Amino acid sequence: MERPAERGHRCVPHTADVRIEAWAPTREACVAEAVTALVDTFTDPAGARPAAEREFRAPAGDDADLLVSVLDEVIFRMETEGELPLSTEVTDDGAGGLLVRWRTTDTDAVELVGAVPKAVALHELRFGSDGAGWSCAVTLDV
């Protein structure tokens, strides 16, 4: 994957669904960037202010499972709690899992600009170290 910056994300064309790519120097930063990419696919958070701080622990698993767990949690919280992350911090929990901290806002505080993701597809999921850092590619079912 060609990287225009040390850390970032983008949406890439995909038939009927949404596909995101994210990259960063570390596994944890790449997961955080993927969360931002997911939210950016369907919202414009400009002007939204954090309303709460939330924490989530992704249990130990392989790297792809950890990524899916975190992205699934974002979708779950959006659907059940009506909240979205404005910023994401991810750290290794020391036991093979991830500790995720979000500053969140209510979904009605952001402008919807795209199709809302319903799930993370496992087909063509990619996440790992690529020599220049970490990168992932994820398809979101909408």
Side-chain angles (χ1 to χ4, degrees):
M1 170 188 331
E2 182 181 325
R3 295 181 182 191
E6 181 178 293
R7 178 178 175 150
H9 63 269
R10 64 182 159 217
C11 184
V12 294
H14 192 270
T15 306
D17 292 313
V18 174
R19 185 137 173 104
I20 58 172
E21 294 178 347
W23 58 92
T26 66
R27 176 183 76 152
E28 294 78 14
C30 190
V31 171
E33 200 64 43
V35 169
T36 302
L38 182 154
V39 173
D40 284 355
T41 66
F42 69 101
T43 70
D44 178 2
R49 300 278 183 246
E53 292 188 18
R54 303 287 187 235
E55 192 172 281
F56 171 68
R57 291 186 183 273
D62 70 25
D63 294 326
D65 289 342
L66 290 170
L67 175 64
V68 170
S69 177
V70 172
L71 296 178
D72 278 344
E73 184 68 13
V74 171
I75 294 168
F76 174 77
R77 287 176 186 240
M78 175 189 59
E79 292 175 348
T80 62
E81 304 295 327
E83 64 185 21
L84 288 169
L86 291 176
S87 66
T88 304
E89 176 186 324
V90 181
T91 56
D92 188 312
D93 73 358
L98 297 174
L99 174 61
V100 183
R101 291 187 177 96
W102 287 300
R103 295 184 73 203
T104 64
T105 193
D106 295 332
T107 53
D108 58 1
V110 298
E111 180 182 351
L112 293 179
V113 296
V116 177
K118 299 297 180 197
V120 176
L122 301 180
H123 181 68
E124 297 181 345
L125 174 70
R126 182 180 48 75
F127 182 46
S129 177
D130 62 10
W134 285 73
S135 65
C136 67
V138 179
T139 302
L140 304 170
D141 294 332
V142 294

